[in-house]
Each structure stands twice: as structure tokens, then as C-alpha cells.
Amino acid sequence: PNCVAYDGILDNSPYTIGLLKVLEEPNIDIVTYFNRVSSYVYQLTNQEQNPWFSCSALTGDFYLTKYRKYSIIAICRLYIF
């Protein structure tokens, strides 16, 4: 909190890269998802950025990609078309 995120030198920020990378992992709940994104960003930025994640109590499990591995393009097409 209270820090500016590192934008990186690629087309996407380290956080966006982490979001997209972890999204392809099947069968992980939302809390695990964001914890993995944070770990990935921490590694990618050589321990310079440690994303902060806070979550209020959820009443059940929530999955972004539950059944099998999808590519980001397939997910986008699923919702766009």
C-alpha cells in the first residue's frame, strides 16, 4: 500500500503479466490466484515489488477457470463473441 507499481519494460506491467500467467492455471480459488500473482510479480521484479492483497471473507469458493486450461485468446473470444 501507498507505493507506485512498477510498469516494467514490456508491453504489460509485471502485475498484468502475472494475472494472465496465473489465469491459465486450472482449479485454483480466487485467494490462491491472487497469492500466486503476487509471488510471480515479486519474482519478476527481483523482489522490488510485492503486491498487497486483501480479501474480506468469502461465503464460498470462487474460481476464474475451474475445469481446464484455457488460453487467454479463447477466454476473450468466449466473452466477446
Side-chain angles (χ1 to χ4, degrees):
N2 300 321
C3 294
V4 176
Y6 177 65
D7 287 334
I9 58 173
L10 303 173
D11 289 338
N12 293 312
S13 71
Y15 195 80
T16 301
I17 293 169
L19 288 170
L20 296 174
K21 178 175 176 48
V22 179
L23 184 62
E24 293 185 353
E25 297 179 26
N27 302 319
I28 58 172
D29 65 88
I30 192 76
V31 174
T32 302
Y33 173 80
F34 282 110
N35 283 334
R36 288 186 186 176
V37 170
S38 294
S39 294
Y40 185 77
V41 171
Y42 189 69
Q43 275 186 296
L44 193 62
T45 62
N46 294 316
Q47 294 77 40
E48 291 185 26
Q49 182 175 332
N50 190 11
W52 187 70
F53 172 68
S54 176
C55 180
S56 60
L58 300 172
T59 58
D61 293 337
F62 181 85
Y63 295 87
L64 294 173
T65 54
K66 187 172 182 177
Y67 297 106
R68 66 184 186 109
K69 198 172 191 176
Y70 292 100
S71 71
I72 297 305
I73 294 171
I75 291 172
C76 291
R77 286 185 180 160
L78 179 65
Y79 290 104
I80 293 173
F81 299 108

